C-alpha cells in the first residue's frame, strides 16, 4: 500500500479511488461554474460588493468540496498497524528500508566502513564528519540520540561531550558500563549550529540507523530526546509519535521483540539540574531504574 506512494499524485490508491478523486475535482469545478453563473444572474439587482462576496463564497465551497475527496494513506503493509498517515510518510524499522532505499550489510564492521565513506548526504556540505558509534556492537542495550554536537564532531563518536558524560553517569548509576551498551545517533553528521535536524535530513539517514538496529539486534532501545523518540515511534506507526517527550518518557513500547523507552536528553537535564520530586532528573532516575529492571527481567 505504501511502498509506491511517494512521488506520484494519483497512483497511491486503487483505480476506483483515483476516479473518485478526479470526479471530485471535476465536480468542484462544475460547482464553481454554476455558482458563478448564479452570482452573475443576481448581479443586476445587487451591488458589486454583494457579487464579489458571492463569488468568494462559491470558491471557498468548491475548494472544500475538492479537499474532502482526498483521503489519507495507511501504513498497514509495512508496520502491521492501522495508524492513519498522510501521503509521503513511510515506516521503517528492522528491515533497513525507507524511501525506496535498502541497506543490507553482512556485518557491523562492513556497515561502519561504508558509513565512514558516505558521500552526498544532506549535511556533507557543512564540512562536519561522520559520527559512527561507541560502545559494544554485541551489547543488548542500544542508546539512540538525535545528532552529534561539536565535541562529537571532533572525535567522531557520539555522546562524548558534557551530555555524554552525564549519560555515562546515568547508565553507571544502575550498573551499566560502556561495554554493556551501544550508543549512536539518528543523524550521522552535526547540523549547523547544533540546530534540530530537519525532517528531510532525518529521512536521508534513516536507512543507516535502521541497519544498525538490525545488526545490533538489541533487547532494549533507549530513545534519548524528542527527535529520537518521535523518529523511531513513527517508524512503528505509533500514534504517540506526535506527543511531546514529556508525555511519553518512561513509557515502554514493544515492537518485534524489542522494548523501547523514551527518556529525556542529557542536555535537557543539564539545563534543568534540580533533583526535586517530579523534576526531569528525578523522572530520569525512575526511567533508568526501569531499564535496569527490564533488562534483568529479560535475562
Amino acid at each position: 500500500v505504501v511502498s509506491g506512494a511517494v512521488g506520484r499524485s494519483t497512483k497511491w490508491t486503487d483505480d476506483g479511488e483515483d476516479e473518485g478523486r478526479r470526479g471530485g475535482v471535476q465536480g468542484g469545478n462544475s460547482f464553481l461554474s454554476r455558482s458563478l453563473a448564479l452570482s452573475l444572474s443576481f448581479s443586476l439587482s445587487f451591488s458589486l460588493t454583494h457579487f464579489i462576496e458571492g463569488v468568494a463564497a462559491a470558491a471557498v465551497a468548491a475548494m472544500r468540496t475538492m479537499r474532502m475527496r482526498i483521503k489519507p494513506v495507511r501504513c498497514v503493509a509495512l508496520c502491521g498497524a492501522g495508524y492513519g498517515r498522510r501521503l509521503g510518510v513511510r515506516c521503517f524499522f528492522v528491515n533497513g528500508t525507507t524511501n525506496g532505499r535498502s541497506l543490507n550489510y553482512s556485518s557491523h564492521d562492513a556497515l561502519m566502513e561504508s558509513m565512514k565513506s558516505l558521500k552526498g548526504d544532506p549535511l556533507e556540505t557543512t564540512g562536519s564528519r561522520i559520527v559512527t558509534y561507541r560502545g559494544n556492537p554485541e551489547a543488548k542495550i542500544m542508546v539512540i540520540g538525535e545528532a552529534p554536537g561539536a565535541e562529537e564532531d571532533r572525535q567522531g563518536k557520539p555522546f562524548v561531550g558534557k551530555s555524554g558524560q552525564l549519560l555515562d553517569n546515568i547508565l553507571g548509576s544502575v550498573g551499566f558500563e560502556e561495554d554493556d551498551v551501544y550508543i549512536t545517533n539518528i543523524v550521522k553528521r552535526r547540523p549547523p549550529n547544533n540546530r534540530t535536524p530537519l525532517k528531510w535530513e532525518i529521512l536521508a539517514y534513516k536507512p543507516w540507523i535502521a541497519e544498525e538496529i538490525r545488526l545490533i539486534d538489541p533487547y532494549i532501545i533507549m530513545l534519548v530526546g524528542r527527535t529520537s523518540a518521535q523518529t523511531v515511534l513513527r517508524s512503528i506507526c505509533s500514534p504517540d509519535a506526535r506527543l511531546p517527550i514529556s508525555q511519553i518518557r518512561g513509557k515502554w513500547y514493544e515492537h518485534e521483540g524489542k522494548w523501547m523507552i523514551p527518556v529525556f536528553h542529557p542536555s535537557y537535564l543539564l539545563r534543568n539540574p534540580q533533583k526535586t520530586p517530579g523534576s526531569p532528573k528525578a523522572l530520569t532516575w525512575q526511567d533508568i531504574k526501569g531499564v535496569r529492571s527490564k533488562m534483568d527481567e529479560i535475562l
Side-chain angles (χ1 to χ4, degrees), residues 111-138:
L111 172 65
M112 291 299 109
E113 196 65 29
S114 180
M115 188 184 297
K116 290 175 182 177
S117 60
L118 184 61
K119 301 292 182 184
D121 53 297
L123 294 173
E124 180 190 13
T125 56
T126 64
S128 57
R129 68 189 296 181
I130 289 288
V131 174
T132 55
Y133 79 101
R134 71 178 176 96
N136 181 9
E138 301 296 325

Side-chain angles (χ1 to χ4, degrees), residues 231-248:
T231 299
V232 176
L233 291 181
R234 281 195 188 101
S235 77
I236 64 171
C237 302
S238 170
D240 286 0
R242 302 183 180 187
L243 299 177
I245 186 69
S246 59
Q247 294 184 26
I248 58 176

Side-chain angles (χ1 to χ4, degrees), residues 99-120:
N99 288 346
R101 297 183 59 194
S102 178
L103 301 179
N104 192 345
Y105 289 87
S106 59
S107 67
H108 181 265
D109 288 343
L111 172 65
M112 291 299 109
E113 196 65 29
S114 180
M115 188 184 297
K116 290 175 182 177
S117 60
L118 184 61
K119 301 292 182 184

Side-chain angles (χ1 to χ4, degrees), residues 69-115:
R69 295 284 184 174
I70 302 174
K71 296 183 178 180
V73 184
R74 292 186 179 273
C75 51
V76 177
L78 296 181
C79 290
Y83 176 41
R85 290 245 159 227
R86 290 295 174 187
L87 183 64
V89 179
R90 299 215 226 167
C91 302
F92 88 98
F93 196 66
V94 296
N95 59 5
T97 303
T98 181
N99 288 346
R101 297 183 59 194
S102 178
L103 301 179
N104 192 345
Y105 289 87
S106 59
S107 67
H108 181 265
D109 288 343
L111 172 65
M112 291 299 109
E113 196 65 29
S114 180
M115 188 184 297

Side-chain angles (χ1 to χ4, degrees), residues 134-136 139 141 168 171-183 292:
R134 71 178 176 96
N136 181 9
I141 298 177
D168 289 345
L171 294 168
S173 68
V174 291
F176 294 132
E177 300 178 355
E178 184 169 333
D179 195 54
D180 297 318
V181 296
Y182 177 95
I183 303 174
R292 175 80 265 181

